[in-house]
Amino acid sequence: MKRAIYPGSFDPVTYGHIDIIKRASEIFDELIVAVLCNKAKTPLFSVDERVNILNEVLHDLPNIRIVSYEGLLVDFAVANNANVIVRGLRAVTDFEYELQLAQTNNVLNKGVDTVFLTTSLKYAYLSSSTVREVASYGGDIAKFVPPLVEKLTYEKFGIECNRRV
Amino acid sequence: MKRAIYPGSFDPVTYGHIDIIKRASEIFDELIVAVLCNKAKTPLFSVDERVNILNEVLHDLPNIRIVSYEGLLVDFAVANNANVIVRGLRAVTDFEYELQLAQTNNVLNKGVDTVFLTTSLKYAYLSSSTVREVASYGGDIAKFVPPLVEKLTYEKFGIECNRRV
Amino acid sequence: MKRAIYPGSFDPVTYGHIDIIKRASEIFDELIVAVLCNKAKTPLFSVDERVNILNEVLHDLPNIRIVSYEGLLVDFAVANNANVIVRGLRAVTDFEYELQLAQTNNVLNKGVDTVFLTTSLKYAYLSSSTVREVASYGGDIAKFVPPLVEKLTYEKFGIECNRRV
Amino acid sequence: MKRAIYPGSFDPVTYGHIDIIKRASEIFDELIVAVLCNKAKTPLFSVDERVNILNEVLHDLPNIRIVSYEGLLVDFAVANNANVIVRGLRAVTDFEYELQLAQTNNVLNKGVDTVFLTTSLKYAYLSSSTVREVASYGGDIAKFVPPLVEKLTYEKFGIECNRRV
Amino acid sequence: MKRAIYPGSFDPVTYGHIDIIKRASEIFDELIVAVLCNKAKTPLFSVDERVNILNEVLHDLPNIRIVSYEGLLVDFAVANNANVIVRGLRAVTDFEYELQLAQTNNVLNKGVDTVFLTTSLKYAYLSSSTVREVASYGGDIAKFVPPLVEKLTYEKFGIECNRRV
Amino acid sequence: MKRAIYPGSFDPVTYGHIDIIKRASEIFDELIVAVLCNKAKTPLFSVDERVNILNEVLHDLPNIRIVSYEGLLVDFAVANNANVIVRGLRAVTDFEYELQLAQTNNVLNKGVDTVFLTTSLKYAYLSSSTVREVASYGGDIAKFVPPLVEKLTYEKFGIECNRRV
């Protein structure tokens, strides 16, 4: 059985992430969506909130599991018997950073490989930080995130969800 | 009438910015130079200082107007009846970031398009942050910014303008 | 009046080109679509065929004009009183090539500037050569080009247009 | 069962290709190595020679199959019940080209996805064309290809295999 | 006599840096390894610690000298009669940043040129920040830095050096 | 004594090449300008013509030598006791190609290293092929090449040198 890990911050999850998750869940037998608990940064949503949102938004995908992790990704992968890391690729600067990460992880543990999926064209330039910035000004994020995430993100910025209707 | 917006931080304005502004003012009937009021960052010059400097430095261009803005650029563009955003392109990392911004703005408002001008060769690697860093060490910035900006930038760092003469 | 030139091979014209042409025709008062007569290459469609196809496909845009040219683009621009060249940008390798061209043209004639529009996301990786290659194998090109171009391209490869229906 | 396709010219196969094939064969249940029969180019080795070499060099991998194909890759994938295309990524120019291909293939057939593996560091800048060029001058290609390929490549250029020993 | 400067933060020095230093010391008659004293950042090792580590690790190279500096690199180069700056290149984002720096330095002082060496393949994606991050989680950094640096880096994070043995 | 090689096609030599040659001749004790005799391509100027032009144009540089070569560059370097290859870097696509070449050469011969100089801003997008294309249409190449090269290049295309005066 092929088990893969899709790690990320998901702060918040976007349609771009969901696209990668759906496609990866068709390629692998089981997919672990791993929410990074990065203590250095101040996230918009707590790790628990992000895990809950992902569980809501992805509940119709049978072969995925959502967990949080901290520490080295390769250690987490080994502890979960996963030998593949899945990453989405958007653009050149992404690519260089991802290459560096994949090579470092491979040096740290030869048994864990990284595969890349390219983000679908319509989400090619979407990122969580764009969502946060647009939402902070009350801009329309309905094309970037599912309705639940839209509502919760506006709430974080003290904006009523149907403000723009 | 074609009205375009050239947004930026201009902290401080460089010869690279001025080159783009002059060329854009020849392509469009009116050009709004829009100074970003970004509350998250601590700028070297206040928004008002930057607007004043731009007014001084660009006073011989008849069809431009200098204003400050905050919030979403596309909202500002619509409010000012401008349907084109002008951006300067220097290098690859610029390009990816700019592409992401242009695509996001286009999703937010289909009526606002982005056009890019490539920075002239002699200013191709010039940036406001380079100017600030060089000036902070008392380095010579006369080739990067107009005399007024040179004087004011040194003053911010407590350096007398003709130190190096 | 601002007159711009959009040069290209258009062998054949794709939805990506048409997207750029429509947007450029809204930014400038008049747009000349200039079909390059490149003697070194063997095109799929002759220059005359390409001009005719563009006239058919773009007949509803009032402020454009389709012409062929050979020689240096800046000379053609000057001869047509156009001071702006419009180019579409798709990706990094495009970008570098386009930068080189824009700088060279600017050295050849300071009075002609180049502006770039970024290709819409859904056409971001579309090119005429992709269309030709897919069509040569009888692949479906309906999402890449207008129906007329689809029909004529299949004919060039001796394939009946509704083969895949 | 997850069946993937790794397409390429393999003219000749390098240690870089073999690295990708081994890793992909661990990720997927079955891997089809598909040798492109590109009539437009004059290859160094014929398609049959390339299939034979791959069979020799990869005979210890149980879950791979080597075949040749022509036409559209997505059609070949569908005909072979494979829903994943595997590609190796080396560098930026690779990346852009591969992105274009992956997006085009996805538009042609939504049911076929592309995953990328990054080339191992030590083969990061290796290509078949480098091998051919170095071999044509009698240079040492032992670090680039297996002994069998080394011998056969030198033969193609009329060079005795142990020339440099 | 050709004297060159290799500037950097070296926080901590990696095998990638050491590779560049060894190769540069063979190309130039004398090499000054210049440790940047950047007051804006909080480093893991103090400037004095970094100079000491470099002296230990590089003591077998006769024609190098390790010093710290602050201020503009070109001023430091002139003060030390060095007319060449050496930099290592790893990837595209590096490249753009390095180009910008080299051009700025050249504008600041025409007499100081910059030469680039490409990082060896096996260290192509290694950086000091990767070392710090992996070490902070107790990950294995023995492949990234010399034993002395490994020991001292673990100490900074309160981890015993042979934890993983 | 440090001897370096600057290889290239120089078909024809441009101000960009000359800029690199002058700067490299100040960094190294001796510089061999090596004209590639590439039998696969049909050049504008023969190898002998290119060597002669370089000798004319560079006669005031005391420590350079102009030679032609064919075969593997590393073999040529070893045969000439040169342990450094000098290359000019202009842009991203250049960079990737150059990295591949440098790594391949280093695998072929560990004793030969490659250093890169970045092309001066004003020649950053200049190439021999641009010169040939502009000249073929009778365009002005005086800003790209020295007067002698301008005259000889026009002659190759059957154009009188002072046509545009």
Side-chain angles (χ1 to χ4, degrees):
Chain A
M1 204 205 63
K2 309 296 181 188
R3 182 182 289 148
I5 288 185
Y6 178 52
S9 291
F10 307 108
D11 187 33
V13 64
T14 69
Y15 281 132
H17 299 129
I18 294 170
D19 172 64
I20 298 286
I21 291 169
K22 283 190 176 156
R23 287 156 55 201
S25 76
E26 283 165 25
I27 293 173
F28 298 98
D29 297 309
E30 187 181 332
L31 183 72
I32 299 175
V33 179
V35 181
L36 175 62
C37 179
N38 187 341
K39 282 172 176 163
K41 282 193 191 170
T42 308
L44 185 66
F45 292 96
S46 74
V47 168
D48 285 351
E49 286 174 320
R50 285 179 268 156
V51 168
N52 289 341
I53 289 171
L54 283 161
N55 271 315
E56 286 288 331
V57 166
L58 302 168
H59 66 88
D60 57 334
L61 292 178
N63 62 331
I64 72 164
R65 197 153 45 95
I66 292 132
V67 296
S68 66
Y69 81 102
E70 56 184 323
L72 287 179
L73 181 58
V74 288
D75 291 347
F76 178 77
V78 168
N80 285 272
N81 291 318
N83 65 337
V84 178
I85 295 166
V86 174
R87 297 287 286 170
L89 275 182
R90 290 176 309 171
V92 165
T93 41
D94 257 22
F95 175 57
E96 291 296 329
Y97 173 75
E98 292 293 337
L99 225 60
Q100 183 173 352
L101 225 69
Q103 304 285 11
T104 304
N105 283 334
N106 192 254
V107 170
L108 289 173
N109 191 319
K110 284 253 171 290
V112 181
D113 213 335
T114 303
V115 307
F116 297 97
L117 297 177
T118 55
T119 306
S120 291
L121 282 183
K122 55 198 265 203
Y123 307 125
Y125 291 95
L126 181 55
S127 71
S128 294
S129 64
T130 298
V131 171
R132 291 196 304 271
E133 195 188 343
V134 171
S136 76
Y137 292 117
D140 186 1
I141 59 173
K143 283 169 191 156
F144 302 151
V145 296
L148 173 69
V149 180
E150 186 190 1
K151 178 174 164 290
L152 295 174
T153 303
Y154 283 134
E155 282 178 15
K156 287 280 176 188
F157 290 106
I159 297 166
E160 291 205 21
C161 189
N162 46 12
R163 186 199 74 110
R164 294 179 75 97
V165 181
Chain B
M1 203 205 62
K2 309 294 181 188
R3 181 184 289 149
I5 288 186
Y6 178 52
S9 291
F10 307 108
D11 186 34
V13 65
T14 70
Y15 281 132
H17 298 130
I18 294 170
D19 173 63
I20 297 287
I21 291 168
K22 283 191 177 156
R23 287 157 57 202
S25 76
E26 282 165 26
I27 294 173
F28 298 98
D29 297 307
E30 186 181 333
L31 183 73
I32 299 175
V33 179
V35 181
L36 175 63
C37 179
N38 187 342
K39 282 171 177 166
K41 283 194 189 169
T42 308
L44 186 65
F45 291 96
S46 73
V47 168
D48 284 351
E49 287 173 319
R50 285 179 267 156
V51 169
N52 289 341
I53 289 172
L54 283 162
N55 271 315
E56 286 288 332
V57 166
L58 302 168
H59 66 87
D60 56 335
L61 293 178
N63 61 331
I64 71 163
R65 195 153 46 98
I66 291 133
V67 295
S68 66
Y69 81 101
E70 56 183 323
L72 287 179
L73 180 59
V74 287
D75 292 347
F76 178 77
V78 168
N80 284 272
N81 291 318
N83 65 338
V84 177
I85 296 165
V86 174
R87 298 287 287 170
L89 275 182
R90 290 176 310 171
V92 166
T93 40
D94 258 23
F95 174 57
E96 290 296 330
Y97 174 74
E98 292 293 339
L99 227 57
Q100 184 173 348
L101 224 70
Q103 303 286 11
T104 304
N105 283 334
N106 192 253
V107 171
L108 290 173
N109 191 319
K110 284 252 171 293
V112 181
D113 212 336
T114 303
V115 307
F116 297 97
L117 297 177
T118 55
T119 306
S120 291
L121 283 183
K122 55 198 267 202
Y123 307 125
Y125 290 95
L126 180 54
S127 71
S128 294
S129 64
T130 299
V131 172
R132 291 194 305 269
E133 195 188 343
V134 171
S136 76
Y137 291 117
D140 185 0
I141 58 171
K143 284 170 192 154
F144 302 151
V145 296
L148 172 70
V149 180
E150 186 189 2
K151 178 173 164 292
L152 295 174
T153 303
Y154 282 135
E155 281 178 15
K156 286 281 175 187
F157 290 106
I159 297 166
E160 292 205 20
C161 190
N162 47 10
R163 186 201 74 111
R164 295 178 75 98
V165 181
Chain C
M1 205 205 61
K2 309 295 181 186
R3 183 183 287 149
I5 288 185
Y6 179 51
S9 290
F10 308 107
D11 186 33
V13 64
T14 70
Y15 281 132
H17 299 130
I18 294 170
D19 173 64
I20 297 287
I21 290 168
K22 282 190 178 156
R23 286 157 57 201
S25 76
E26 282 164 26
I27 293 173
F28 298 99
D29 297 307
E30 186 181 334
L31 183 73
I32 299 175
V33 179
V35 181
L36 175 63
C37 179
N38 186 342
K39 282 172 178 165
K41 283 193 189 170
T42 310
L44 187 65
F45 292 96
S46 74
V47 168
D48 284 351
E49 287 173 319
R50 285 179 267 156
V51 169
N52 289 341
I53 289 172
L54 283 162
N55 271 316
E56 285 289 332
V57 166
L58 302 169
H59 65 88
D60 56 334
L61 292 178
N63 62 331
I64 71 164
R65 195 153 46 97
I66 292 134
V67 295
S68 65
Y69 80 102
E70 56 184 323
L72 287 179
L73 180 58
V74 286
D75 291 347
F76 178 77
V78 168
N80 284 272
N81 291 317
N83 65 336
V84 178
I85 295 166
V86 174
R87 298 287 288 169
L89 275 182
R90 289 175 311 168
V92 165
T93 40
D94 257 23
F95 175 57
E96 291 296 330
Y97 174 74
E98 291 294 338
L99 227 58
Q100 183 173 352
L101 226 68
Q103 303 286 13
T104 304
N105 284 333
N106 192 253
V107 170
L108 289 173
N109 190 320
K110 283 254 173 290
V112 180
D113 212 336
T114 303
V115 307
F116 296 97
L117 297 177
T118 56
T119 306
S120 291
L121 283 183
K122 55 197 267 203
Y123 307 124
Y125 292 96
L126 181 54
S127 71
S128 294
S129 64
T130 298
V131 172
R132 291 195 305 269
E133 195 187 342
V134 171
S136 75
Y137 292 116
D140 186 1
I141 58 172
K143 284 169 193 154
F144 302 151
V145 296
L148 173 70
V149 179
E150 186 190 1
K151 178 172 164 292
L152 295 174
T153 304
Y154 283 135
E155 281 178 15
K156 286 281 175 187
F157 290 106
I159 296 166
E160 292 207 20
C161 189
N162 47 10
R163 185 201 75 111
R164 295 178 75 96
V165 182
Chain D
M1 205 206 61
K2 310 294 181 187
R3 182 182 288 147
I5 288 186
Y6 179 51
S9 291
F10 307 108
D11 186 33
V13 64
T14 69
Y15 280 132
H17 299 130
I18 294 170
D19 173 65
I20 298 286
I21 290 168
K22 283 190 176 155
R23 287 157 56 201
S25 76
E26 282 165 26
I27 293 172
F28 298 98
D29 298 307
E30 187 181 333
L31 183 72
I32 299 175
V33 179
V35 181
L36 175 63
C37 179
N38 187 341
K39 283 171 177 166
K41 282 192 189 171
T42 309
L44 185 65
F45 292 95
S46 73
V47 168
D48 284 351
E49 287 174 319
R50 285 179 268 156
V51 168
N52 289 340
I53 290 172
L54 283 161
N55 271 315
E56 286 289 330
V57 166
L58 302 169
H59 65 89
D60 57 334
L61 293 177
N63 62 332
I64 71 163
R65 197 153 45 96
I66 291 132
V67 296
S68 66
Y69 81 102
E70 56 183 323
L72 287 180
L73 180 57
V74 287
D75 292 347
F76 178 76
V78 168
N80 284 271
N81 291 318
N83 65 337
V84 178
I85 295 166
V86 174
R87 298 286 288 170
L89 275 182
R90 290 176 310 170
V92 164
T93 41
D94 258 22
F95 175 56
E96 290 296 331
Y97 173 75
E98 292 293 337
L99 226 59
Q100 184 173 351
L101 225 68
Q103 303 285 12
T104 304
N105 283 333
N106 192 255
V107 170
L108 289 174
N109 191 319
K110 285 253 171 290
V112 181
D113 212 336
T114 303
V115 307
F116 297 97
L117 297 177
T118 54
T119 306
S120 291
L121 282 183
K122 55 198 265 202
Y123 307 124
Y125 291 96
L126 181 54
S127 72
S128 294
S129 65
T130 299
V131 172
R132 291 195 304 269
E133 195 188 343
V134 171
S136 76
Y137 292 116
D140 186 0
I141 58 172
K143 284 169 191 156
F144 303 151
V145 296
L148 173 69
V149 179
E150 186 189 1
K151 179 173 164 291
L152 295 174
T153 304
Y154 283 135
E155 282 178 14
K156 286 281 176 187
F157 291 106
I159 297 167
E160 291 206 20
C161 189
N162 46 11
R163 186 201 74 111
R164 296 178 74 97
V165 181
Chain E
M1 205 206 60
K2 309 295 181 187
R3 182 182 288 148
I5 287 185
Y6 178 51
S9 290
F10 307 107
D11 186 34
V13 65
T14 69
Y15 281 132
H17 299 129
I18 295 170
D19 173 64
I20 297 287
I21 291 169
K22 282 190 178 156
R23 288 156 56 201
S25 76
E26 282 165 27
I27 293 173
F28 298 98
D29 298 307
E30 187 182 333
L31 183 72
I32 299 175
V33 179
V35 181
L36 175 63
C37 179
N38 187 342
K39 284 172 175 163
K41 283 193 190 171
T42 309
L44 186 66
F45 293 95
S46 73
V47 168
D48 285 351
E49 287 174 318
R50 286 179 266 156
V51 169
N52 289 340
I53 290 171
L54 283 162
N55 271 315
E56 285 289 331
V57 166
L58 301 170
H59 66 87
D60 56 334
L61 293 177
N63 62 332
I64 72 164
R65 196 153 45 97
I66 292 133
V67 296
S68 65
Y69 81 101
E70 56 184 323
L72 288 179
L73 180 58
V74 286
D75 290 347
F76 178 76
V78 168
N80 284 272
N81 291 318
N83 64 336
V84 178
I85 296 165
V86 174
R87 299 286 288 169
L89 274 182
R90 289 176 311 169
V92 164
T93 40
D94 258 23
F95 175 56
E96 290 296 331
Y97 174 74
E98 292 293 338
L99 226 59
Q100 183 173 352
L101 225 69
Q103 303 286 13
T104 304
N105 283 333
N106 191 254
V107 171
L108 290 173
N109 191 320
K110 284 253 171 289
V112 181
D113 212 335
T114 303
V115 307
F116 297 97
L117 296 177
T118 56
T119 307
S120 290
L121 282 183
K122 56 198 266 202
Y123 307 124
Y125 291 95
L126 181 53
S127 71
S128 294
S129 64
T130 298
V131 172
R132 291 195 306 269
E133 195 188 343
V134 171
S136 76
Y137 292 116
D140 186 1
I141 58 171
K143 284 170 193 153
F144 303 150
V145 296
L148 173 70
V149 180
E150 186 189 1
K151 179 173 163 292
L152 295 174
T153 303
Y154 282 136
E155 281 179 16
K156 286 281 175 188
F157 290 106
I159 297 166
E160 292 205 20
C161 189
N162 47 11
R163 187 200 75 109
R164 296 179 75 96
V165 181
Chain F
M1 205 206 61
K2 310 294 182 188
R3 182 183 289 148
I5 289 186
Y6 178 51
S9 290
F10 308 107
D11 187 34
V13 64
T14 70
Y15 281 132
H17 298 130
I18 294 170
D19 173 63
I20 297 287
I21 290 168
K22 283 189 177 156
R23 287 157 56 201
S25 75
E26 282 164 25
I27 294 173
F28 298 98
D29 298 307
E30 186 181 334
L31 183 73
I32 299 175
V33 179
V35 181
L36 175 63
C37 179
N38 187 341
K39 283 172 175 165
K41 283 193 191 170
T42 309
L44 185 65
F45 292 96
S46 74
V47 168
D48 284 351
E49 286 173 321
R50 285 179 267 157
V51 169
N52 289 341
I53 289 172
L54 283 161
N55 272 315
E56 286 288 332
V57 166
L58 302 168
H59 65 88
D60 55 336
L61 292 178
N63 62 331
I64 72 163
R65 196 154 45 97
I66 291 133
V67 295
S68 65
Y69 80 102
E70 57 184 320
L72 288 179
L73 181 58
V74 287
D75 291 347
F76 178 76
V78 168
N80 285 273
N81 291 317
N83 65 338
V84 177
I85 296 165
V86 174
R87 298 287 286 171
L89 275 182
R90 289 176 310 170
V92 165
T93 40
D94 257 23
F95 175 56
E96 291 296 329
Y97 174 75
E98 291 293 338
L99 226 57
Q100 184 173 349
L101 224 70
Q103 303 285 12
T104 304
N105 284 333
N106 191 254
V107 171
L108 290 173
N109 191 319
K110 285 253 171 291
V112 181
D113 212 335
T114 304
V115 308
F116 297 98
L117 297 177
T118 54
T119 306
S120 291
L121 283 183
K122 54 197 266 203
Y123 307 125
Y125 291 96
L126 180 54
S127 71
S128 294
S129 64
T130 298
V131 172
R132 291 195 304 269
E133 195 188 342
V134 171
S136 76
Y137 292 117
D140 186 0
I141 58 172
K143 285 169 191 156
F144 303 150
V145 297
L148 172 70
V149 179
E150 185 189 1
K151 177 173 166 292
L152 294 174
T153 304
Y154 283 135
E155 282 178 14
K156 286 281 175 187
F157 291 106
I159 297 166
E160 292 206 19
C161 190
N162 46 11
R163 185 202 75 111
R164 293 177 77 97
V165 181

